[in-house]
Amino acid sequence: MASNVLFLGINFRDWVAETLYHEQHAIAEEMPSSVFYGPGYNYNTNYIPEIISECFGSSQPDAIFCYIDERRLLGIPMAQAILERYNVPQHLHVFPKGLKESNLPKFAWINDFWHCSKEEWDEILLGNGFDFAFSTYCYPFVKQETFESFFSAKVRDRVRFIPWPRSMNTDIFKDYRLPKIYDVTLLGARYPDFYPLRELMHQTFLASNDINYFSQDHPGYTFHDGRQSLTSIRYAQVINQSKIFASCTGKYNIPFIKLYEVMASRTTLVCDAPSGAEYLGLKPYETYVPVTKESFLSQVRELLANPHQIESISNAAYKLFNSHHTTKIRAAEFSKTVSAL
């Protein structure tokens, strides 16, 4: 049973999306014998044997869980925003080092799998001796053919992938009981090649004079003052002020984090159907409204003409979120899953 886990991570408090910070904080409460190590936590060395010695003395942790961005595991220094925020000295810019020197069970955390090629994933996962990968977008949350186009047969044979849905902190994402002042809101990155439906929705709603539409450009992937930028509580409150939140699953048809943010905010999600929707408890027209590029505008207008349906869907989604997708629930699932491996 793994109860003493060494977590390698970065403190992402005040990042554009604090999700990882809240997830790690919940896990730390659920697994109090474990240690988080890295910039923003304790960070005196980047060398795994030295980290283990510093944190566990002459004993050993049960396992190592690596929350570090996949590009960094190729030896690329951490992002400049992180280095500056935590005043990281030059010799610690690359983190971690020496993973392959440990024979402990090792877990990777994988989110944006498209950042690396199949060959790079071979180097990251096999080269560092990872045994498991907690993956937000492996099957069933991505199509099998997409997954296999990024992860080789060698990786799939050697590494056990564990599907790991996202979750939200109910202190941030909740029903603030604010007036629903926007008909439709769309927030987030809108790169047309990656989010084609999201960009089409944005342009269409902008041109629809009968819809009270709110949108704002992405604030950027860095640390933010939540009082000045539309992040954290201010971001969550805007979602809560919206009757409908429009989004999409991107070119890979995956359940992005916005799904959970919207459900948590008691707002009705309009989105193309994501891979693995049924595993998340998403039911068409019950907890969200599935749309296509041809149908989304007419469906949104139909919803706006039927406020009782909007309320019914948002209430059901809110109930689903609070029973299955809170950060506290996911942390308990994490502890149970890791302990069983």
Side-chain angles (χ1 to χ4, degrees):
M1 178 176 287
S3 58
N4 301 316
V5 177
L6 170 61
F7 289 91
L8 306 175
I10 294 162
N11 187 326
F12 277 110
R13 179 113 199 209
D14 298 329
W15 190 254
V16 61
E18 295 179 311
T19 316
L20 272 186
Y21 166 77
H22 294 297
E23 181 177 307
Q24 292 170 4
H25 184 73
I27 289 172
E29 289 188 341
E30 187 71 30
M31 304 175 71
S33 298
S34 294
V35 174
F36 279 83
Y37 196 93
Y41 301 113
N42 286 334
Y43 187 48
N44 304 306
T45 176
N46 56 2
Y47 184 50
I48 295 300
E50 293 176 353
I51 294 171
I52 292 173
S53 179
E54 177 185 339
C55 296
F56 296 90
S58 58
S59 60
Q60 295 269 305
D62 296 320
I64 299 173
F65 192 98
C66 191
Y67 261 117
I68 301 302
D69 178 292
E70 61 280 342
R71 303 294 299 175
R72 313 308 153 194
L73 296 176
L74 292 169
I76 298 172
M78 289 177 281
Q80 192 63 32
I82 295 166
L83 301 177
E84 291 176 0
R85 181 177 180 87
Y86 295 117
N87 196 25
V88 179
Q90 177 76 35
H91 70 285
L92 296 180
H93 281 194
V94 175
F95 174 64
K97 290 184 175 180
L99 265 175
K100 65 180 67 174
E101 296 180 34
S102 171
N103 293 322
L104 291 167
K106 289 193 281 285
F107 296 78
W109 182 84
I110 299 175
N111 188 44
D112 297 348
F113 60 83
W114 53 89
H115 286 174
C116 297
S117 67
K118 186 180 287 188
E119 292 72 25
E120 287 172 327
W121 280 118
D122 279 0
E123 182 179 345
I124 292 166
L125 295 172
L126 302 179
N128 287 301
F130 281 104
D131 305 282
F132 306 95
F134 275 62
S135 177
T136 57
Y137 304 129
C138 64
Y139 183 82
F141 304 124
V142 70
K143 291 181 174 63
Q144 190 67 29
E145 57 267 31
T146 300
F147 180 73
E148 291 180 5
S149 71
F150 283 90
F151 297 99
S152 69
K154 289 185 296 184
V155 163
R156 301 196 308 271
D157 287 343
R158 172 69 180 82
V159 181
R160 178 177 170 186
F161 282 78
I162 299 161
W164 203 247
R166 305 309 300 268
S167 60
M168 290 292 118
N169 181 356
T170 54
D171 290 336
I172 307 293
F173 291 90
K174 59 186 178 181
D175 183 7
Y176 287 91
R177 302 185 182 278
L178 297 171
K180 299 283 188 180
I181 61 175
Y182 306 115
D183 289 339
V184 180
T185 291
L186 189 154
L187 297 169
R190 297 194 314 273
Y191 312 119
D193 290 343
F194 198 84
Y195 304 107
L197 179 56
R198 196 182 293 182
E199 178 61 14
L200 176 61
M201 287 173 159
H202 174 64
Q203 297 300 334
T204 302
F205 292 138
L206 276 179
S208 302
N209 294 328
D210 60 325
I211 294 174
N212 180 17
Y213 174 58
F214 178 81
S215 185
Q216 192 172 109
D217 289 342
H218 194 285
Y221 294 99
T222 188
F223 295 96
H224 290 270
D225 181 345
R227 294 167 297 181
Q228 311 242 338
S229 58
L230 194 57
T231 59
S232 192
I233 289 175
R234 290 187 67 229
Y235 170 78
Q237 288 176 334
V238 166
I239 300 176
N240 185 232
Q241 289 176 296
S242 309
K243 298 173 186 174
I244 293 169
F245 191 97
S247 195
C248 79
T249 66
K251 67 185 290 186
Y252 296 120
N253 188 226
I254 53 183
F256 286 115
I257 202 165
K258 283 186 171 48
L259 250 109
Y260 308 89
E261 294 171 346
V262 176
M263 288 194 292
S265 302
R266 205 195 285 264
T267 293
T268 293
L269 174 70
V270 167
C271 183
D272 54 320
S275 298
E278 63 275 20
Y279 295 92
L280 298 174
L282 289 172
K283 296 180 180 179
Y285 309 105
E286 183 176 324
T287 53
Y288 84 115
V289 178
V291 298
T292 66
K293 64 181 181 179
E294 292 82 14
S295 72
F296 72 86
L297 182 58
S298 62
Q299 286 181 266
V300 162
R301 284 176 169 151
E302 288 174 14
L303 281 169
L304 291 173
N306 189 348
H308 293 298
Q309 186 181 16
I310 289 178
E311 184 177 11
S312 174
I313 292 170
S314 63
N315 285 344
Y318 186 66
K319 183 177 180 181
L320 169 64
F321 166 78
N322 281 288
S323 61
H324 287 83
H325 300 302
T326 71
T327 302
K328 187 172 183 179
I329 289 170
R330 196 72 79 242
E333 292 172 346
F334 179 92
S335 177
K336 183 178 179 181
T337 300
V338 169
S339 296
L341 294 173

